Amino acid sequence: MTQDVHDAIVIGSGPAGYTAAIYLGRAGHQPLIIAGALTPGGQLVNTTEVENFPGFPEGILGPDLMENMRAQAEKFGAELEYDDVTSVDFSGPVKLINTDSGTQYKAKTVIVTTGSEYRKLGVPGEQEYSGRGVSYCATCDGFFFKDKPIVVVGGGDSAMEEADFLSRYGSSVTVIHRREGFRASKIMVDRAVENPNITFKLNTVVTEVTGDDTGASTIALKDTVTGQVSSVEANGIFVAIGYTPQTSFLKDSIELDNDGYIMTKPDTTNTSVPGVFAAGDAVDRVYRQAISAAGSGCKAALDAQHYLSTFSLEEAADEAIQSI
């Protein structure tokens, strides 16, 4: 039984997952990373140049940063499986993880780092110009649109905050929102309204993103009240309509909030289930940066190491037998 049970399994990759695996590997735990079948490395694999990750004064391409992290994790003994987790059973002291390939894995500890994904507009041109004008992170990509026209799509606090931030760079910033009113707090709306570089198009939706080989240049719009169509020049299109945490496979196995984010205990990465930890954007609805995700992955690994120091597989087996 011992040979079949991993000390630690990391579900997900990206900065949080790879960092957790690096720390666990250096501690001798030989973690298994179930990195995902299609997009191992998280959102950064779709990012061009990353300029705000410490240690790279000239910047580094997102895929290269993730490749470096993966290689570092493997150097210290991490094993990777490119598969998707479909369900879990955290009810016993040994955690069970089922994947799309039909494989079941067992572990003493599990760290969930599956992240979240940006909600998309779902319009023609969005995917084509992703990374070439269409962005989902102002702090990541705002600098690339210095003195160029920018639009922000959304009506919540994130949209207002991104518009205010992007007004430092763009020649203009236009906020596009599908309704007359905003979901954002009054203080955030007031700040955006008072910014002379920000204008608004309300009761308006984006219907298409167009451009050329150099990147996006224009968005098509439709008035939701009159049906009138128009267009706006835009080299930077920042979509800020929310996030969806990638936690549906967890179902009722650990405590999630109403939006699906994993709940952790204060000042720890501990979830509601002993031996299960969480890090990165599946937990964090505020910062959502590569460096903060990496930091939380470090914390999760240290919390898991502490748990493993008191874990006895024999006692766990006895406990499981007694509970039958």
Side-chain angles (χ1 to χ4, degrees), residues 82-304:
Y82 297 104
D83 204 351
D84 292 320
V85 174
T86 55
S87 65
V88 298
D89 182 353
F90 294 156
S91 60
V94 173
K95 315 307 177 189
L96 307 179
I97 299 170
N98 303 302
T99 66
D100 190 52
S101 67
T103 306
Q104 183 178 83
Y105 297 96
K106 301 176 182 179
K108 303 172 188 176
T109 63
V110 174
I111 299 178
V112 182
T113 66
T114 44
S116 64
E117 65 175 358
Y118 301 104
R119 290 179 187 160
K120 307 295 196 303
L121 295 172
V123 301
E126 179 181 19
Q127 180 64 35
E128 179 183 353
Y129 291 102
S130 179
R132 298 193 302 127
V134 176
S135 174
Y136 304 89
C137 178
T139 56
C140 305
D141 299 329
F143 177 81
F144 300 113
F145 301 98
K146 190 172 178 61
D147 298 324
K148 296 180 180 180
I150 294 172
V151 300
V152 175
V153 185
D157 279 351
S158 294
M160 298 302 125
E161 184 175 4
E162 294 208 349
D164 188 61
F165 176 82
L166 291 165
S167 69
R168 309 173 195 176
Y169 300 104
S171 59
S172 65
V173 176
T174 303
V175 174
I176 298 170
H177 185 43
R178 60 183 177 176
R179 292 191 293 267
E180 183 74 27
F182 295 103
R183 291 180 291 105
S185 58
K186 184 177 184 300
I187 188 171
M188 296 299 292
V189 174
D190 290 346
R191 186 177 299 166
V193 169
E194 292 167 5
N195 189 319
N197 202 31
I198 298 176
T199 58
F200 297 85
K201 282 188 174 292
L202 305 181
N203 297 318
T204 302
V205 294
V206 177
T207 57
E208 186 177 9
V209 179
T210 57
D212 53 31
D213 291 341
T214 64
S217 60
T218 308
I219 58 170
L221 304 174
K222 180 178 180 180
D223 189 298
T224 59
V225 177
T226 67
Q228 182 178 356
V229 296
S230 61
S231 64
V232 169
E233 183 181 0
N235 295 123
I237 300 99
F238 288 83
V239 181
I241 56 175
Y243 303 81
T244 302
Q246 303 289 81
T247 58
S248 59
F249 69 93
L250 294 170
K251 295 184 172 63
D252 298 322
S253 60
I254 58 176
E255 185 178 359
L256 308 176
D257 70 12
N258 292 334
D259 295 320
Y261 288 90
I262 301 171
M263 302 289 288
T264 55
K265 298 180 180 179
D267 301 320
T268 76
T269 63
N270 299 345
T271 69
S272 57
V273 175
V276 179
F277 309 88
D281 286 5
V283 179
D284 175 19
R285 61 167 69 235
V286 178
Y287 300 104
R288 306 181 190 281
Q289 299 299 303
I291 189 63
S292 58
S296 67
C298 164
K299 293 178 181 179
L302 295 176
D303 287 342

Side-chain angles (χ1 to χ4, degrees), residues 6-25 29-37 39-42 66-85 97 99 105 107 109-114:
H6 296 270
D7 276 359
I9 289 179
V10 178
I11 304 177
S13 46
Y18 287 147
T19 301
I22 289 167
Y23 272 77
L24 288 165
H29 292 297
Q30 298 181 306
L32 171 67
I33 306 171
I34 304 179
T39 57
M66 290 301 91
E67 176 64 17
N68 289 349
M69 286 190 178
R70 180 202 59 76
Q72 191 172 357
E74 288 189 310
K75 173 185 175 182
F76 292 117
E79 176 188 353
L80 270 82
E81 290 289 344
Y82 297 104
D83 204 351
D84 292 320
V85 174
I97 299 170
T99 66
Y105 297 96
T109 63
V110 174
I111 299 178
V112 182
T113 66
T114 44

